[in-house]
Amino acid sequence: MAGLLFVLGGVMTGLYVTTNGKLDRAEKQVSQQEGTIGANQREIDKLKVDLQSLRDKLADTQQDLTGTKNDRDEQARQKKIIASCLDKLTTALGAASRGDRATFEAASKGLEKVCNEADNYL
């Protein structure tokens, strides 16, 4: 009976040592995985912040681009008005120098209005 208890005690000790070793390895593996998960989460959080920063910069750039386009369109409109004033004025002056009253009057129609607006842009 003592021999059986001794053998059973040896088997149980062997199982305990084996199980304890496996448990230690499993705990180390879990600890390493938790560290990896934590590092990955920190990297994900950093990337989220970077992505938001880039989105904000893109929105600012798009806003600047829209403002620049609007400015360009306004400048083109102003140039067109100034060109119209100069064209009407040149035509009227040419007609006046030739003594062509009908062409002068036709070119003078609306000249004051368009040239007053053009004057605002000069």
Side-chain angles (χ1 to χ4, degrees):
M1 188 57 102
L4 181 62
L5 285 177
F6 180 73
V7 170
L8 187 58
V11 169
M12 293 303 284
T13 301
L15 285 175
Y16 174 77
V17 169
T18 302
T19 304
N20 196 28
K22 288 180 182 179
L23 180 61
D24 286 342
R25 285 192 301 275
E27 285 175 347
K28 286 178 184 176
Q29 200 173 28
V30 167
S31 177
Q32 288 174 346
Q33 289 173 348
E34 285 175 348
T36 301
I37 289 169
N40 288 345
Q41 187 60 49
R42 285 188 296 278
E43 182 67 19
I44 288 169
D45 292 343
K46 180 186 175 298
L47 291 173
K48 284 180 181 178
V49 169
D50 291 348
L51 177 61
Q52 186 59 48
S53 175
L54 290 174
R55 283 181 177 159
D56 292 344
K57 285 180 183 178
L58 177 60
D60 290 346
T61 301
Q62 287 173 330
Q63 187 175 15
D64 290 346
L65 181 60
T66 299
T68 301
K69 182 184 177 300
N70 291 342
D71 288 346
R72 186 199 66 212
D73 291 348
E74 176 60 18
Q75 287 175 353
R77 188 188 71 78
Q78 291 173 7
K79 285 179 183 179
K80 188 175 180 180
I81 291 169
I82 293 168
S84 176
C85 170
L86 292 175
D87 184 48
K88 284 182 176 282
L89 187 59
T90 303
T91 303
L93 290 175
S97 70
R98 291 188 310 271
D100 184 353
R101 187 167 188 83
T103 305
F104 175 77
E105 287 180 7
S108 295
K109 226 179 228 184
L111 177 69
E112 187 175 342
K113 180 182 177 188
V114 75
C115 286
N116 281 342
E117 187 177 352
D119 190 42
N120 293 329
Y121 307 132
L122 296 175

